[in-house]
Amino acid sequence: MAKKHRAYWKGYLRLSLVTIGVEIYSAVESANDISFRQIHKPSGKRVNYEKVVQGIGKIETADIVKGYEVDTDTYVVIAPEEIDALKLESKKTIDLVQFVGADEVDYRFFERPYFIAPADSLAGEGYVVIRDALLKTGKFGLAQVTIGGREWLVAIAPLGEGLVMEMLRYANELRDPADFFEEVPSAKPQKEMVDLAVQLIEQKTSAFKPAAFQDHYQEALKALVQEKLKGNKVVAAEEPATRPSGANIVDLMEALKRSVGQSDSPKRNQKGAARSPTNESTGGKSGQKAAPKKKRKA
C-alpha cells in the first residue's frame, strides 16, 4: 500500500458481490513541471488582477455569474444553484459492470492513469483475486466513478503486482480523424520506398525504455531555478492521510460463487444439459466460454 503519497480518492471496488476497500493515487508526477507566476519586478510581489467590465470598470465578485456563449456577445446565464443541482452524488463505489479485451480500447480514449491500492489487509485477498482474474482473461474492467460531481468513465487493468485505473475520454470528446486526413494521397506509394522505410524501422526497433527519454526544456528550467535559489529550499508540510475501513468480507470464495450464480442464465451445451456456473473459469459470466489466455506485460 502506498504510504508516501496522498490518496486522490478512497472508497470501494466492487465485482458483483465482492467488495473491497481501495485507495486511488495519481500515477503521474505533475510536480516535476515548472510553472511561473507574474511578478512586479520593482517590489518582487506577485501581480494580482482585478475583475473589470468594458465600459463599466471594476466590479464586485458577488455580481459575477456563469454564462454559456451561444453567439457573439450572447450568453445563457446559469445560476450556481442550477449547476449544483446537476452535480452527481459522489458515490464511494467503483462497480465493474463490463469487461473488454485489452486490445479493444483505442489508445485515443486514454487520458490519465491512477494506481489502485488495497485500503488495508482485509482488502488484500479480494484485490489479488480481481487482479489475477483480469490478468488471466486479458481483460479491462469498465466502470463509471463520480468524483467532484462529475462522472468519469474508467478502465481498470492489472499492472505488475497491482491494478491501474485509466481515466477514459467519452466518445463525443474525440474528433473525427476524417476531418484532418483529407489531403492524404489515395495512391499507393512505390513498394521499394515502403520496403526501405520498413528496413529503417526494423533497424531502429528496440524495447521501450521511457527513462531513456528526457524533457530537456524542463530539465534546463529546473537547473536555472536551482541556480536562482542559491541553496534556499521551500518545504510544504504533508497532511496526515486517513482511510476508510475495508469491507467486511466474511468468505471471499462464497461471495465469488454467489456472484457467478447471480449472472445470466447458463447456456445449454450441445446435449441440451445446462452448464453449472461453478464450473466456469474465473472472470466470465456463467455459461460463457473461458477467454483465451493472454500474457500481458506489466
Side-chain angles (χ1 to χ4, degrees):
M1 286 172 281
K3 299 287 188 181
K4 298 180 180 179
H5 302 278
R6 187 183 307 169
Y8 171 74
W9 185 90
K10 299 177 182 180
Y12 300 92
L13 177 64
R14 182 161 61 197
L15 173 60
S16 192
L17 297 179
V18 178
T19 304
I20 59 173
V22 294
E23 297 177 345
I24 294 177
Y25 299 85
S26 176
V28 177
E29 190 57 78
S30 56
N32 286 336
D33 293 337
I34 297 292
S35 60
F36 295 100
R37 307 295 185 197
Q38 289 191 325
I39 305 298
H40 179 231
K41 187 174 180 180
S43 65
K45 294 183 179 180
R46 183 173 173 180
V47 176
N48 295 320
Y49 293 91
E50 293 183 341
K51 296 179 174 65
V52 297
V53 174
Q54 187 175 5
I56 297 176
K58 185 179 178 180
I59 61 172
E60 299 296 330
T61 302
D63 293 330
I64 299 175
V65 296
K66 293 182 181 293
Y68 179 80
E69 188 172 10
V70 293
D71 203 346
T72 304
D73 292 331
T74 304
Y75 306 90
V76 173
V77 176
I78 308 295
E81 56 270 20
E82 292 176 311
I83 296 178
D84 290 339
L86 297 177
K87 290 184 177 180
L88 300 174
E89 181 182 355
S90 294
K91 297 178 181 178
K92 290 298 183 180
T93 303
I94 302 175
D95 268 310
L96 296 174
V97 296
Q98 183 185 347
F99 297 88
V100 298
D103 56 351
E104 294 180 35
V105 183
D106 187 330
Y107 60 83
R108 291 177 301 160
F109 284 93
F110 294 110
E111 184 168 352
R112 190 177 180 89
Y114 292 84
F115 296 132
I116 302 180
D120 48 40
S121 58
L122 291 176
E125 185 179 17
Y127 180 93
V128 170
V129 168
I130 294 175
R131 179 202 65 192
D132 287 359
L134 291 172
L135 185 63
K136 184 176 181 180
T137 57
K139 303 288 186 183
F140 284 172
L142 297 181
Q144 286 181 291
V145 57
T146 304
I147 301 175
R150 177 177 174 181
E151 192 171 39
W152 297 89
L153 175 64
V154 299
I156 295 175
L159 177 69
E161 297 298 317
L163 292 171
V164 65
M165 180 183 81
E166 184 78 30
M167 293 286 196
L168 300 180
R169 298 180 177 91
Y170 286 97
N172 60 0
E173 295 182 74
L174 296 179
R175 292 177 173 176
D176 186 350
D179 294 340
F180 304 90
F181 301 149
E182 294 180 355
E183 302 300 323
V184 177
S186 57
K188 290 185 177 181
Q190 296 180 19
K191 182 179 180 300
E192 183 180 1
M193 290 194 295
V194 175
D195 290 342
L196 288 171
V198 168
Q199 184 178 347
L200 285 172
I201 291 172
E202 290 176 345
Q203 289 175 355
K204 294 179 177 292
T205 297
S206 60
F208 178 48
K209 297 179 180 178
F213 298 87
Q214 295 183 355
D215 186 339
H216 296 95
Y217 176 70
Q218 286 289 330
E219 292 300 321
L221 281 178
K222 291 177 185 177
L224 177 61
V225 170
Q226 291 302 316
E227 281 291 320
K228 294 287 186 178
L229 280 174
K230 296 180 180 179
N232 294 326
K233 204 170 186 181
V234 179
V235 180
E238 292 187 4
E239 294 183 8
T242 58
R243 74 177 73 176
S245 58
N248 183 20
I249 302 175
V250 178
D251 189 336
L252 178 60
M253 180 63 74
E254 181 62 24
L256 288 167
K257 287 182 177 179
R258 286 173 57 196
S259 297
V260 173
Q262 287 188 3
S263 15
D264 296 339
S265 300
K267 296 180 181 178
R268 301 196 172 262
N269 58 23
Q270 294 179 351
K271 295 182 180 179
R275 289 180 175 177
S276 171
T278 56
N279 292 333
E280 297 298 330
S281 298
T282 305
K285 292 184 178 180
S286 57
Q288 289 183 335
K289 293 182 180 180
K293 295 181 180 179
K294 295 181 181 178
K295 290 187 177 180
R296 179 177 167 78
K297 294 183 178 180

